[in-house]
Amino acid sequence: MTNISISEINSYLRCRRAWDLTSSSRQSLRHKITPKIFFVIGSAVHEAIDAQASGGDPLEAFEAYVTKEREERIAFYYETTKHQPSESEMKEFEDSVDLSRGMVNQYFNFYGWENPLESMGLKYVATEVPFSIPLENGMNFVGTFDGIVTDIATESIYYLIENKTAAKKPNVEGVQFSNQFVGYNWAFREITGQPLAGTIYNLMVKKLIKSPRVLKSGELSQAKDALVTMQSFLSALQYGNHDPVKYLDYMEYLEDRERNGDDRFFFRDIFTYTNVQLDNWYRSVLKPISEELHHPPYKLKVYPNYTSCDSCLVKDLCRAMDLNEDVDAIKQLRYEVKTYGTMEAVDGAT
């Protein structure tokens, strides 16, 4: 094993047994399952953001990505099963495409199509930047920065930006002090010799802004839990020729919510780290774990941590090990050796 990434570190810390079974640097086992026609929303949104930051058309890039994904997944499904995917599976795929397309549109409508970072006084320098940093023990710390941005005024201050999608806003403190955010700040400082001004956490929630529901009476719904914004409500008022006086209290509620920070659809924050934090992360996380993983395989102690078992992808193997059952038979019946392309992006990175 020569490369170590944040994903490898997190997997190793979560459960060494699951890491040993699934890591592309170890046994690299994957379940043998019928391929599912799924659409990765986060990747599609990233594609659009990257295109805009590079001077391209985000919607054109999005549609090109969708077409490619659709064709590749249908072809793989047919190659594996010898028949076409069902209507229900394709509907699930297309529903995800529609959600992603809506997220891309409302993101740029909200933040701007020319420069979505302009309100922060920032602009992109580069996107999807791979790095590979040699460590003292012979390992390489590898990863990919989502984006590097600078200030518009002086072009002398630099930030990383992490574009994320999620079903809901997560615990922000947990994100801020996660291995990825701290580790990537350490990596940037190691590469450039200078610390970042911060990292921008740019979250898009997987929800679409809605127009208010029209009631049987013809009036607009004033439900406070509706996915309605002031802009979408005002549009409905104007389109339906409604009397705005009837909705003054509701519009005041919408205005107050947005003034206080409406994070139902978008959320941004800037995380900053001190040199002491970065040094401590290297000493307490990257250095000891990379040294452990650099040992010959027979010297590594592999054991189950029994954490996150509900979401574990190899719990049948883990249970078989605990019961002294025929583990090799289960591997042969249910698993295959299959690697991910997570390390390919950093090949040749300097």
Side-chain angles (χ1 to χ4, degrees):
M1 181 177 183
T2 58
N3 290 338
I4 182 171
S5 65
I6 292 295
S7 296
E8 194 83 22
I9 290 172
N10 288 339
S11 176
Y12 184 71
L13 291 174
R14 191 178 302 115
C15 178
R16 290 195 184 186
R17 177 181 282 177
W19 163 81
D20 178 63
L21 291 168
T22 62
S23 169
S24 58
S25 301
R26 302 288 285 182
Q27 298 187 47
S28 198
L29 295 176
R30 303 287 182 268
H31 266 287
K32 295 178 182 177
I33 58 173
T34 300
K36 185 176 176 60
I37 305 296
F38 65 91
F39 184 73
V40 181
I41 292 175
S43 298
V45 173
H46 269 74
E47 197 76 16
I49 291 176
D50 292 348
Q52 188 280 331
S54 303
D57 186 316
L59 294 181
E60 285 184 6
F62 175 84
E63 296 301 339
Y65 177 84
V66 168
T67 299
K68 182 173 178 289
E69 284 289 293
R70 185 186 291 112
E71 291 174 351
E72 288 183 354
R73 294 189 185 280
I74 290 176
F76 179 69
Y77 189 98
Y78 184 81
E79 179 184 346
T80 307
T81 66
K82 305 307 177 187
H83 59 81
Q84 296 293 333
S86 67
E87 289 185 11
S88 62
E89 284 183 304
M90 289 310 302
K91 183 180 184 307
E92 185 176 356
F93 178 92
E94 298 301 341
D95 286 347
S96 295
V97 169
D98 290 342
L99 173 59
S100 302
R101 185 182 292 111
M103 289 172 63
V104 169
N105 272 289
Q106 72 181 19
Y107 173 79
F108 287 107
N109 284 335
F110 185 79
Y111 287 120
W113 291 84
E114 294 298 321
N115 177 10
L117 302 179
E118 186 173 11
S119 62
M120 304 180 75
L122 303 173
K123 64 179 181 180
Y124 275 96
V125 173
T127 62
E128 296 298 314
V129 182
F131 63 83
S132 180
I133 303 174
L135 303 177
E136 295 175 356
N137 53 30
M139 298 277 282
N140 298 310
F141 179 47
V142 300
T144 301
F145 300 135
D146 271 5
I148 301 173
V149 304
T150 188
D151 66 301
I152 296 172
T154 68
E155 298 185 353
S156 62
I157 302 172
Y158 292 91
Y159 300 79
L160 291 183
I161 184 167
E162 285 293 324
N163 299 308
K164 302 293 185 183
T165 61
K168 62 180 181 179
K169 177 184 170 184
N171 178 280
V172 175
E173 185 175 344
V175 174
Q176 179 176 1
F177 297 106
S178 66
N179 283 321
Q180 180 178 356
F181 279 71
V182 182
Y184 277 23
N185 272 256
W186 177 87
F188 187 92
R189 189 189 66 174
E190 190 71 9
I191 292 167
T192 66
Q194 296 186 23
L196 288 157
T199 293
I200 300 163
Y201 177 45
N202 189 37
L203 176 68
M204 286 147 278
V205 181
K206 297 176 183 178
K207 295 178 182 177
L208 297 183
I209 297 169
K210 304 290 186 182
S211 296
R213 188 167 55 91
V214 180
L215 304 175
K216 290 182 179 180
S217 63
E219 301 295 328
L220 297 178
S221 170
Q222 300 183 56
K224 292 186 176 181
D225 60 349
L227 298 177
V228 173
T229 63
M230 174 64 86
Q231 183 178 355
S232 68
F233 191 80
L234 290 175
S235 296
L237 273 179
Q238 184 177 8
Y239 179 79
N241 199 26
H242 296 278
D243 181 5
V245 176
K246 295 181 179 180
Y247 305 97
L248 289 179
D249 289 343
Y250 187 62
M251 287 191 289
E252 184 178 351
Y253 163 77
L254 295 176
E255 189 176 25
D256 285 343
R257 179 166 61 186
E258 293 180 12
R259 186 186 302 112
N260 293 324
D262 184 2
D263 55 15
R264 294 173 301 161
F265 310 101
F266 314 104
F267 176 78
R268 279 179 175 173
D269 203 350
I270 298 179
F271 303 147
T272 58
Y273 306 92
T274 66
N275 284 321
V276 172
Q277 284 178 286
L278 303 185
D279 292 339
N280 284 336
W281 181 84
Y282 172 74
R283 283 195 296 264
S284 61
V285 179
L286 182 57
K287 188 174 188 292
I289 293 178
S290 64
E291 288 176 351
E292 285 184 37
L293 298 186
H294 190 54
H295 288 321
Y298 63 86
K299 288 188 177 181
L300 271 174
K301 295 181 180 179
V302 175
Y303 49 81
N305 293 9
Y306 298 114
T307 59
S308 306
C309 292
D310 289 344
S311 59
C312 180
L313 299 176
V314 289
K315 55 187 173 184
D316 54 345
L317 280 176
C318 184
R319 190 173 296 113
M321 292 176 180
D322 289 342
L323 297 174
N324 289 324
E325 295 178 348
D326 192 339
V327 175
D328 289 336
I330 297 175
K331 287 181 182 179
Q332 186 175 1
L333 178 65
R334 301 178 186 172
Y335 290 83
E336 61 183 341
V337 176
K338 187 175 182 182
T339 59
Y340 287 162
T342 53
M343 297 298 183
E344 295 177 0
V346 299
D347 283 349
T350 58

